[in-house]
Amino acid sequence: MKSYQKLTTAVPQPAACWVEEEGSAPTPAGRGKLAPWWVGSGLLVAAVLLSTVTVWVLRQVSGGWPGPTPPPKCLLIPESHRFDCYPERHVVVTQELCESRGCCFIESPLPAGGKQGVPWCFYPPDFPSYTLESLNQTALGMVGLLVRREKAYYPRDIEMLRLDVEFETDTRLHIKITDAANPRYEVPLEVPPVMKRAENPIYSLDFSRNPFGVLLRRKATGTVLLNTTVAPLIFADQFLQISTLLPSKFLYGLGEHRGTLLHSLDWSTLTLWARDVPPTESFNLYGAHPFCLVMEEGGDAHGVFLLNSNAMEVVLQPAPGLTWRTIGGVLDFYIFLGPDPNMVIQQYQQVIGFPAMPPLWALGFHLCRWGYGSSNETWQTVRAMRNYQIPQDAQWNDIDYMDGYRDFTFDPQKFASLPSLVEDLHKHRQRYVMILDPGISSTNPRGSYWPFDEGLRRGLFLNTTQGQPLIGQVWPGFTAFADFSNPDTHQWWLENLQHFHAHVPFDGLWIDMNEPSNFMDGSEDGCPPGELDSPPYTPAVLGDSLSAKTVCASAKQKASVHYNLHNLYGLMEAKATASALIQIRGKRPLVISRSTFPSQGRYSGHWLGDNRSQWKDMYYSIPGLLSFSLFSIPLVGADICGFSGSTSEELCTRWMQLGAFYPFARNHNTQNEKAQDPTVFSPAARTAMKDVLLIRYSLLPFLYTLFHRAHLQGDTVARPLFFEFPRDVATLGLDRQFLWGRSLLVTPVLEPGVDSVTGYFPRGVWYDFYTGSSVNSSGEMLKMSAPLEHLNLHVREGAILPTQKPGTTSEATRGNPLRLIVALSQGATAWGDLFWDDGESLDTFERGSYSYLVFNVTQNIFTSTVLHASAEATEVTIGTLSIFGVRKPPSKVLLNGQEKPFSYLDNEVLTVSDLGLSLSQGFSLQWL
């Protein structure tokens, strides 16, 4: 059967519609105005009717319907607009089951490969929903009452709902729907208080009264961003659902999943329920991020954040449309109007918080593996890296350092020299990071393992419904799980870390298994019967149960039941861990977490989990890191060369080249596989890996400045191309390349056996990072040479990149002279900046202990302006200025008015060396 896709659905007009005009009272809109159900023109309605007639004729020619002819109201709805009325998995949906819910039933061909397709059971246009009974002005917006007079089909329908609308800023709208009579669980996330209503919002908001619906428009273009009248609102105790049409098919976000950056709207379901599973397409993975970004026609962007931590699924369909479906909490939406994608992400972070400023050493190269087997073997790897002078800032250990896999211990035989290794790392200005799990061994003789004994005494573990510690199984065997929703647990966590730090003075912490992961389903005793562990509706989670490879949803925690808090577990542990590190070391913390939730960038970074040593895994890391840029966790990367399986020299070389441009760059490997650190490969491969790490280290001033901008105002670090070129539709699906900031384009090789790579260059001039040679693109795909030792990097016109002579650690690099790379625009202008501090102290920007410089080029004059100065800047010099795109050979160069030697190449690169200028002093350089 052919699918007839239309832009809108023809349905009966609601009784009335209220229009909210900012600054005025609501007015009836029933007269002279199309209600939201009818968004579009009469021609579209006619088209839908025509398609319905066509379908009916085709049915008659082919032998009629397989059952009774569906009612006309059902035939009116095109396939792409059918919103699922029977989403339960593993149920054969019959006409009888469907119609028992009051829904339409039309069979459609099943797609190949077991994928989802057009729902057979879908809502009719007159399905009972809520009615907007009242709507009143408030200081910040409006408050309304929604009433449902006919029950839907899930238990404990909530008949009266409260609607709160706040016009928080000109670009941010807050819509919250909750029980009008009884309090419900809400995410304990601090959001900024709003003191006054937006004065000139760039959006307008209408409501449909019966059935209730929201219609949100962008004023400048008239684009409808939300239209929730396309399917009924359902708000039962454990089933909340709201659907909307989308203004385009370009939708991103909704993590954590493995897939392309741009989501498919071909009947796909994205489940959000933190789960320990190696990254696999279509599975719910380690974190939950109910935030999406949508690109509109013409290049505008908006974002939607559902502040809800319960198990959730988001259904995408080709209307284009989206359904939010969750099994607890409230519907608490923030909508961000941009209008460009960078601004959307900044506005999102104004609600959830800006990411922390990492220490400089966190941006160096990290090395780890599970299976070093001993501290001496770990030490040998560190020495080999030093011997080949390969940059490395931090050495890590996985769980094999522990004694019996128990937290806060180290193996007294195999890792006896661990304290000495850490001391040696510190002498060489390197750092040490080790892994911690939240599962605390529960089987030791009483009095022999303080972490469990003391946690038990203070009541700091997740409990069963019977009030006893819930016992699962993780690496040490039977374990209890720390309850990080309890502030007392944070203190106990700190004390444990203080005890361990006294023996092994670690610098950062890697928190794993914090979904939380459990080798059992639920607990050693399973899970009790009841609607928390067996809810009326279970989203499409891997394992078909909320307790699959985690703890029981009914487990009791200090703040609520685990049913509500599961997706917050990693966030709460990260918060406790970052706080402990600050108290122990008095410096900026480095925490890398596997499970994440919105706002976690304030406390930790993230790695993309237990990937495989395969080419496709290398590719999937790019949409992974770009998605986490959208989620405000900029310190992100994948295990370079792959975690599980055996890598090859070619794969590892290409992956080291790509991984050198992950914001968080760590090579990590599993046990019982051959080593994959750079020292074990052939001289050619080892040299290629070393060279690309030296390039990374040379770019640390630029990267560090990008992280400052992320911390200060929410800029992304690793950035999709469409963020910078939102009106270039060719960029909207690109996820095999990415940018650092707005100006450094990375085009990695992602396939075996090739010596060239094809990449997209948006319109403008791009300069080869290594040579300064230019390419003037009209917006096209270009094929480039890419031998095994080469990574293609290009600098965007108009940029100035601060770089530095690289050393083998970030601290060694800090003392070296700077080289400023200027990439002139076609108008011969350029701009850049540099943030500089001591690299590790807390709150340097907030305390004013930093330097900030702005670089500018106009009319053949380069100017360095010091906007803020600190003592650290006096220790660093600017040695070289390289200017790309100088079209004519200069006759002379003047530094602060004094003539200076220079070189000029045929590819239009002007270089002035031996400047010897203090970073703390402004200067100008002119070429004539």
Side-chain angles (χ1 to χ4, degrees):
M1 173 182 162
K2 184 173 173 60
S3 172
Y4 293 88
Q5 300 181 6
K6 301 298 172 189
L7 294 177
T8 63
T9 306
V11 291
Q13 184 172 345
C17 182
W18 275 311
V19 179
E20 164 64 13
E21 294 295 343
E22 291 70 27
S24 65
T27 56
R31 296 186 301 275
K33 180 179 178 69
L34 289 175
W37 288 85
W38 288 87
V39 178
S41 67
L43 288 173
L44 281 170
V45 176
V48 172
L49 290 170
L50 180 59
S51 73
T52 304
V53 171
T54 305
V55 170
W56 182 85
V57 170
L58 289 172
R59 285 288 188 185
Q60 303 312 306
V61 171
S62 62
W65 297 92
T69 303
K73 67 180 181 182
C74 299
L75 294 173
L76 278 172
I77 302 177
E79 289 185 351
S80 63
H81 286 64
R82 294 178 184 173
F83 287 85
D84 198 347
C85 176
Y86 216 112
E88 282 80 356
R89 295 290 195 282
H90 311 301
V91 175
V92 177
V93 182
T94 63
Q95 183 164 351
E96 183 180 10
L97 283 174
C98 178
E99 292 178 351
S100 71
R101 292 187 170 184
C103 290
C104 296
F105 184 84
I106 299 177
E107 291 185 28
S108 299
L110 293 172
K115 295 181 179 179
Q116 291 175 255
V118 181
W120 291 10
C121 184
F122 55 94
Y123 295 106
D126 57 355
F127 189 94
S129 186
Y130 287 87
T131 300
L132 181 57
E133 290 289 326
S134 65
L135 191 66
N136 297 299
Q137 294 285 319
T138 65
L140 297 177
M142 293 173 287
V143 61
L145 179 68
L146 309 180
V147 177
R148 174 180 278 281
R149 291 188 168 79
E150 291 186 50
K151 285 189 172 294
Y153 44 84
Y154 285 106
R156 298 182 301 284
D157 250 350
I158 297 172
E159 295 177 9
M160 289 195 300
L161 301 176
R162 177 187 170 108
L163 168 71
D164 285 287
V165 177
E166 293 183 349
F167 302 100
E168 294 196 342
T169 73
D170 290 345
T171 56
R172 184 171 86 225
L173 175 66
H174 187 189
I175 300 175
K176 182 175 174 182
I177 302 173
T178 188
D179 189 331
N182 300 296
R184 291 179 61 80
Y185 164 77
E186 297 187 29
V187 181
L189 183 71
E190 294 180 14
V191 294
V194 177
M195 307 312 294
K196 68 171 190 174
R197 176 179 174 142
E199 294 180 358
N200 297 295
I202 65 172
Y203 49 84
S204 65
L205 188 64
D206 303 348
F207 293 100
S208 163
R209 186 182 73 82
N210 184 22
F212 167 72
V214 175
L215 191 75
L216 177 68
R217 284 188 178 90
R218 183 182 298 281
K219 282 183 178 177
T221 61
T223 302
V224 177
L225 308 183
L226 294 179
N227 176 6
T228 72
T229 65
V230 289
L233 167 66
I234 296 180
F235 201 122
D237 184 36
Q238 289 181 275
F239 187 92
L240 293 72
Q241 179 175 279
I242 190 167
S243 302
T244 181
L245 291 179
L246 298 169
S248 84
K249 63 181 180 180
F250 298 106
L251 181 141
Y252 313 82
L254 299 173
E256 182 177 3
H257 298 94
R258 164 179 283 207
T260 55
L261 179 64
L262 175 64
H263 286 301
S264 166
L265 270 56
D266 189 18
W267 305 106
S268 59
T269 296
L270 301 169
T271 306
L272 281 63
W273 183 247
R275 167 65 193 249
D276 173 6
V277 61
T280 305
E281 298 88 317
S282 81
F283 288 177
N284 49 298
L285 301 182
Y286 310 107
H289 291 271
F291 168 81
C292 65
L293 179 133
V294 180
M295 291 301 297
E296 303 156 30
E297 303 293 336
D300 287 337
H302 71 275
V304 180
F305 173 42
L306 173 53
L307 180 50
N308 181 294
S309 62
N310 289 90
M312 182 188 306
E313 56 193 19
V314 184
V315 183
L316 307 176
Q317 63 191 76
L322 177 151
T323 296
W324 300 93
R325 189 182 293 143
T326 183
I327 61 171
V330 302
L331 296 177
D332 192 1
F333 289 101
Y334 288 86
I335 301 99
F336 311 100
L337 276 289
D340 77 53
N342 292 290
M343 295 172 71
V344 170
I345 303 305
Q346 290 173 349
Q347 292 156 13
Y348 176 41
Q349 291 172 99
Q350 287 166 6
V351 170
I352 64 170
F354 296 113
M357 183 69 187
L360 178 63
W361 66 267
L363 307 184
F365 179 61
H366 302 253
L367 191 56
C368 186
R369 80 163 299 170
W370 179 21
Y372 283 122
S374 70
S375 48
N376 286 341
E377 177 104 3
T378 310
W379 209 338
Q380 285 176 8
T381 302
V382 173
R383 288 185 181 122
M385 291 285 286
R386 291 177 191 156
N387 182 52
Y388 288 113
Q389 296 184 303
I390 300 172
Q392 181 187 1
D393 258 83
Q395 180 61 50
W396 296 41
N397 276 127
D398 208 319
I399 57 174
D400 46 332
Y401 81 88
M402 297 179 185
D403 185 10
Y405 296 137
R406 290 174 301 201
D407 278 354
F408 315 113
T409 68
F410 64 94
D411 189 312
Q413 277 80 44
K414 296 177 180 177
F415 280 81
S417 62
L418 184 57
S420 299
L421 164 60
V422 175
E423 182 182 1
D424 178 69
L425 287 167
H426 291 165
K427 281 180 180 176
H428 287 83
R429 298 191 285 184
Q430 294 173 302
R431 306 309 201 280
Y432 180 70
V433 180
M434 87 281 184
I435 196 168
L436 281 178
D437 294 338
I440 303 298
S441 176
S442 63
T443 57
N444 308 278
R446 180 167 295 189
S448 67
Y449 186 51
W450 191 86
F452 178 75
D453 294 341
E454 190 65 12
L456 187 65
R457 187 183 74 79
R458 299 188 199 178
L460 304 179
F461 297 122
L462 271 66
N463 283 337
T464 66
T465 54
Q466 303 303 309
Q468 297 300 312
L470 183 147
I471 302 300
Q473 187 175 11
V474 200
W475 295 113
F478 290 111
T479 56
F481 296 87
D483 177 10
F484 290 103
S485 78
N486 186 343
D488 295 340
T489 305
H490 293 217
Q491 177 63 28
W492 163 86
W493 194 245
L494 167 64
E495 291 168 22
N496 278 293
L497 287 167
Q498 285 172 326
H499 296 157
F500 191 73
H501 193 268
H503 299 285
V504 180
F506 55 84
D507 301 286
L509 290 168
W510 170 21
I511 50 176
D512 191 16
M513 307 292 284
N514 55 351
E515 292 72 32
S517 177
N518 184 359
F519 297 164
M520 299 174 160
D521 290 349
S523 78
E524 61 177 344
D525 301 315
C527 295
E531 290 195 327
L532 291 177
D533 292 299
S534 303
Y537 179 81
T538 300
V541 297
L542 178 63
D544 300 317
S545 166
L546 296 183
S547 63
K549 297 297 178 279
T550 188
V551 299
C552 298
S554 58
K556 294 181 177 179
Q557 297 188 234
K558 177 78 171 180
S560 187
V561 289
H562 192 72
Y563 182 91
N564 293 325
L565 300 178
H566 174 83
N567 282 338
L568 299 174
Y569 194 92
L571 168 63
M572 290 176 167
E573 186 192 14
K575 194 172 182 178
T577 306
S579 173
L581 272 170
I582 290 170
Q583 292 179 73
I584 290 168
R585 299 181 69 248
K587 298 174 181 177
R588 273 177 246 162
L590 171 64
V591 180
I592 297 295
S593 176
R594 192 167 71 180
S595 190
T596 58
F597 190 80
S599 80
Q600 194 151 334
R602 297 165 61 186
Y603 312 107
S604 85
H606 173 63
W607 96 104
L608 296 173
D610 295 339
N611 61 4
R612 303 164 187 85
S613 297
Q614 297 177 5
W615 290 90
K616 75 168 186 175
D617 286 64
M618 178 166 62
Y619 153 66
Y620 276 128
S621 71
I622 300 177
L625 74 93
L626 295 178
S627 291
F628 274 87
S629 289
L630 271 60
F631 302 148
S632 183
I633 304 180
L635 189 63
V636 60
D639 285 345
I640 297 170
C641 300
F643 173 68
S644 66
S646 186
T647 194
S648 68
E649 181 163 290
E650 182 190 12
L651 173 61
C652 199
T653 303
R654 293 301 195 191
W655 210 328
M656 283 289 293
Q657 291 169 345
L658 168 60
F661 286 85
Y662 293 156
F664 168 62
R666 183 187 68 163
N667 179 317
H668 181 42
N669 191 8
T670 190
Q671 62 179 352
N672 303 321
E673 294 288 352
K674 62 185 181 183
Q676 62 186 35
D677 64 84
T679 70
V680 303
F681 293 102
S682 71
R686 185 173 65 237
T687 300
M689 295 178 188
K690 174 182 175 179
D691 287 349
V692 78
L693 288 177
L694 288 170
I695 293 167
R696 178 189 180 88
Y697 274 66
S698 76
L699 284 160
L700 283 178
F702 176 57
L703 181 61
Y704 193 64
T705 301
L706 291 178
F707 269 96
H708 167 68
R709 297 176 71 86
H711 170 64
L712 185 64
Q713 62 192 41
D715 286 5
T716 53
V717 176
R719 192 171 301 177
L721 272 75
F722 76 83
F723 269 48
E724 289 299 317
F725 303 94
R727 284 168 174 72
D728 182 349
V729 294
T731 66
L732 296 179
L734 294 180
D735 58 9
R736 300 174 73 88
Q737 299 167 272
F738 58 97
L739 294 160
W740 265 12
R742 61 183 306 274
S743 53
L744 185 63
L745 177 63
V746 183
T747 307
V749 172
L750 302 173
E751 297 169 343
V754 299
D755 59 4
S756 64
V757 65
T758 301
Y760 184 74
F761 285 75
R763 176 181 294 275
V765 176
W766 297 84
Y767 296 93
D768 184 291
F769 172 81
Y770 308 97
T771 67
S773 296
S774 64
V775 56
N776 194 342
S777 174
S778 60
E780 56 199 307
M781 300 292 293
L782 297 175
K783 185 177 181 180
M784 296 166 282
S785 175
L788 189 59
E789 69 277 5
H790 184 71
L791 171 69
N792 278 279
L793 296 173
H794 289 83
V795 186
R796 183 181 178 185
E797 64 170 298
I800 300 176
L801 305 188
T803 72
Q804 202 161 19
K805 181 182 178 182
T808 54
T809 66
S810 60
E811 278 199 38
T813 302
R814 274 180 59 81
N816 291 336
L818 289 164
R819 175 191 175 215
L820 305 179
I821 298 175
V822 180
L824 293 179
S825 70
Q826 294 173 78
T829 62
W831 185 92
D833 62 344
L834 173 64
F835 177 82
W836 192 271
D837 62 10
D838 68 8
E840 62 179 8
S841 294
L842 294 165
D843 303 324
T844 55
F845 178 78
E846 291 77 5
R847 292 186 290 105
S849 300
Y850 69 94
S851 294
Y852 182 69
L853 289 79
V854 168
F855 310 118
N856 197 59
V857 173
T858 182
Q859 295 181 331
N860 293 0
I861 300 174
F862 175 99
T863 307
S864 173
T865 306
V866 181
L867 296 185
H868 195 279
S870 67
E872 286 81 16
T874 61
E875 302 164 8
V876 185
T877 60
I878 297 174
T880 305
L881 206 58
S882 295
I883 306 170
F884 300 166
V886 178
R887 293 177 183 169
K888 297 177 182 178
S891 59
K892 59 182 174 180
V893 169
L894 303 177
L895 174 63
N896 293 332
Q898 300 296 311
E899 201 162 335
K900 193 77 177 166
F902 65 92
S903 67
Y904 180 82
L905 301 178
D906 290 343
N907 63 347
E908 301 183 343
V909 174
L910 169 66
T911 302
V912 187
S913 303
D914 301 320
L915 294 173
L917 297 164
S918 171
L919 190 62
S920 60
Q921 299 295 317
F923 70 92
S924 67
L925 186 140
Q926 183 178 15
W927 57 98
L928 303 170

